[in-house]
């Protein structure tokens, strides 16, 4: 028996988690594990609720990406109604989804990860936060706050409220977009685009400082999964699933979301409330895959908007085959912000967006429905069964962050082996172990349909369990 | 040492929406940072709750043993404790599990809705309590701010009043739900 280091809680991520690092007698890392510590039970507690409450209830899984849950849930309800959602409503949902992705990516990049990038992985933990960035790189902090605000304002203009709007409903959306609100959003676009482009230009100049992190931050072959449209372009709202391997070759394409149980399965580990989905044909744990911005940039044939596509070509030139380092989630996230802003503009420039036919009405026509869409962190699925009175009898949700669980665990282990030396624990080593988790931007409120924190406690234990060294990060 | 007030935010069993609504004060967050040091929060890296904090905002209900131990400690070290949002004030969504047995809830997720290694996770992670509780049923609360979430303007108002040493008057500024 060697000793164990515990990082508790992992901070600057959205959720409750711990990391344990196992050392052997010589102080070398033999294993490291990522534990999600909260569980909320939405799959059970929604039992008996009328199906049309599901979007509002499941939005409360997560306050960071409530819109993603609204969308996946409403799509599962659309399938229960078995109606066609009007085209304008589909495009309005798309706009809200992309506003959501923009604000959530801004939170991840600027608020949570930029302190590591601007101030350094080894900088003073007491100052390593957004306010530290605001002092050292004020423009960057302002751009981050403004981009998050841009996304939240669009959500508010469409849905009346920034967090937990109730505008997306089974069959469509509750009310159309006014000309005035459309013009307000269009007027916000140029500045947002400028801020996003300025950020990506700066970000690309920093790669040189992080070569070691790039090479060791969850940098290994896996499958990548995400949604594409029929042309193979990036698609955040509707489409089918594509899976590519580490060489960038397509393994499966145009998989129908409703058939997910045939190719995706979930495994449970004893030390985490977060389940581990895997690609069934390869089995567990060989069916490890990644989702989210990095995966999406790896699976698509192109983004489908002008500026994002230019950035995407540069991104794909980083590596032959799929780009494999999770460090590049950050880069992919910034490209997606640009894509979302461009795409929102393009959708709003079509006059049909003001059409007032935005909802189809029906009673339930099916007893089972699956809804799938791309959330900021990757592919999200809601699956419901109802009785003849329209009450939920069973629900399953596979959450974007969960899809990355196997890769996050493997990534934590890789970083710990690279950077942690048992004989002397430095704060910066442990911060890197946390930073690899931050690249995935795990949303643990979502993934455990859960969230918080506890002291970071690092203990080195002798084989007999006595404490050799103890350190609190305070 | 600066004479700035010490501010903390704590995240129990909530969806993070109340924290996001705090961030929705947008650039005013930098003004808050001028008035107070954020000494403990999911947004910063300090991992030990300090000995004495002036104002702590608490999001979420008390649902597992870790939440319970944490809120006891936070209360003991905080002058003004704010229950922020409906989950902290009433349990709201986390409380929806209370009619079910904990066992049934775990079975659904880890036995029925899983294909490999079906078992209930038990190692390292904190066990769930039988019922999810609002914060005031576990410790004394000084200020209640309902809303799901309370709006950014309401949170900003509460913070500036408390940091200025005044008691916020929430009449008409927030309500349950919505
Ligand atoms: S009160 Fe609402 S917004 Fe706040 S944590 Fe609870 S569900 Fe989320």
């Amino acid at each position: 028996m060697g000793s164990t280091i515990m990082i508790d809680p992992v901070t600057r991520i959205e959720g409750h988690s711990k990391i344990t690092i196992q050392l052997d007698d010589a102080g070398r890392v033999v294993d490291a594990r990522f534990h999600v510590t909260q569980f909320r039970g939405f799959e059970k507690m929604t039992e008996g609720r009328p199906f049309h409450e599901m979007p509002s209830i499941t939005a409360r899984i997560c306050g960071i990406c409530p819109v993603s849950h609204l969308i996946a849930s409403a799509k599962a309800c659309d399938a229960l109604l078995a109606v066609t959602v009007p085209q304008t409503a589909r495009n309005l949902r798309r706009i809200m989804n992309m506003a959501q992705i923009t604000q959530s990516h801004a939170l991840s990049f600027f608020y949570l990860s930029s302190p590591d990038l601007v101030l350094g992985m080894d900088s003073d933990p007491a100052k390593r936060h957004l306010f530290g960035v605001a002092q050292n790189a004020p423009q960057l902090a302002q751009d981050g706050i403004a981009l998050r605000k841009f996304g939240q304002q669009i959500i508010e203009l469409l849905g009346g409220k920034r967090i937990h709007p109730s505008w997306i409903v089974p069959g469509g959306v509750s009310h159309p977009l006014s000309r005035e609100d459309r013009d307000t959003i269009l007027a916000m676009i140029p500045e947002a685009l400028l801020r996003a482009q300025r950020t990506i230009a700066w970000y690309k100049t920093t790669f040189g400082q992080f070569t070691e992190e790039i090479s060791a931050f969850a940098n290994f072959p896996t499958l990548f999964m995400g949604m594409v449209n029929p042309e193979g372009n990036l698609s955040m709202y509707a489409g089918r699933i594509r899976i590519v391997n580490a060489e960038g070759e397509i393994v499966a394409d145009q998989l129908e979301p409703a058939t997910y149980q045939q190719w995706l399965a979930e495994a449970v580990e004893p030390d985490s409330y977060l389940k581990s989905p895997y690609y069934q044909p390869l089995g567990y744990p060989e069916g490890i895959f990644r989702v989210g911005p990095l995966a999406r940039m790896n699976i698509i044939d192109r983004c489908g908007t002008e500026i994002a596509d230019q950035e995407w070509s540069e991104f794909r030139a980083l590596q032959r085959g799929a780009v494999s380092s999770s460090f590049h989630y950050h880069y992919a996230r910034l490209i997606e912000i640009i894509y979302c802003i461009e795409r929102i503009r393009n959708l709003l420039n079509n006059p049909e967006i003001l059409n007032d036919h935005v909802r189809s009405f029906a009673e339930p026509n099916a007893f089972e429905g699956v809804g799938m869409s791309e959330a900021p962190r990757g592919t999200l699925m809601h699956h419901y069964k109802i009785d003849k009175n329209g009450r939920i009898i069973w629900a399953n949700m596979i959450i974007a962050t969960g899809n990355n669980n196997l890769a996050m665990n493997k990534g934590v282990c890789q970083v710990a082996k690279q950077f942690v030396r048992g004989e002397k624990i430095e704060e910066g080593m442990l911060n890197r172990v946390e930073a690899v988790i931050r690249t995935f931007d795990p949303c643990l409120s979502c993934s455990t349909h859960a969230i918080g924190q506890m002291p970071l406690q690092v203990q080195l234990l002798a084989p007999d369990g006595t404490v050799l060294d103890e350190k609190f990060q305070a | 040492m600066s004479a700035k007030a010490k501010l903390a935010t704590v995240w129990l069993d909530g969806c993070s929406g109340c924290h996001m609504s705090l961030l929705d004060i947008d650039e005013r967050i930098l003004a808050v940072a001028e008035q107070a040091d954020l000494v403990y929060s999911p947004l910063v890296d300090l991992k030990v709750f300090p000995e004495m904090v002036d104002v702590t905002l608490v999001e979420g209900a008390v649902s597992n043993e870790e939440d319970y131990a944490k809120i006891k400690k936070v209360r003991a070290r905080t002058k003004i404790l704010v229950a922020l949002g409906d989950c902290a004030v009433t349990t709201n969504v986390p409380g929806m599990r209370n009619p079910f047995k904990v066992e049934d809830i775990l079975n659904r997720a880890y036995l029925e809705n899983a294909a490999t290694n079906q078992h209930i996770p038990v190692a390292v992670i904190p066990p769930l309590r039988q019922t999810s509780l609002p914060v005031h049923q576990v410790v004394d609360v000084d200020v209640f701010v309902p809303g799901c979430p309370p709006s950014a303007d309401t949170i900003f108002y509460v913070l500036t009043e408390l940091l200025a040493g005044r008691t916020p008057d929430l009449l008409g500024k927030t309500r349950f739900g919505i």
Side-chain angles (χ1 to χ4, degrees), chain A residues 60 163-164, chain B residues 14-18 59-60 85-87 92-93 147-149:
Chain A
R60 266 78 178 176
I163 297 161
H164 303 326
Chain B
C15 78
S16 75
C18 290
E59 169 191 319
D86 287 348
C87 293
N92 194 28
V93 176
C148 181

Side-chain angles (χ1 to χ4, degrees), chain B residues 60-79:
Chain B
V62 179
S63 298
N64 67 34
E65 297 300 345
E66 197 169 283
D67 298 336
Y68 190 85
K70 187 190 295 176
I71 195 65
K72 289 273 185 196
K73 183 180 199 175
V74 166
R75 172 70 274 185
R77 297 178 174 192
T78 296
K79 281 193 209 144

Side-chain angles (χ1 to χ4, degrees), chain A residues 5-9 125 425-427 430 454-460 467 469-474, chain B residues 45-49 73 77:
Chain A
I5 300 176
M6 174 103 75
I7 301 180
D8 179 9
I425 306 162
E426 308 264 2
E427 194 277 337
L430 301 179
M454 290 260 297
L456 175 139
Q457 186 186 3
V458 180
Q459 279 189 326
L460 275 185
V467 179
D469 186 11
E470 187 162 27
K471 180 165 169 161
F472 284 97
Q473 190 174 325
Chain B
D45 275 349
L46 305 178
K47 293 172 197 258
V48 177
F49 197 89
K73 183 180 199 175
R77 297 178 174 192

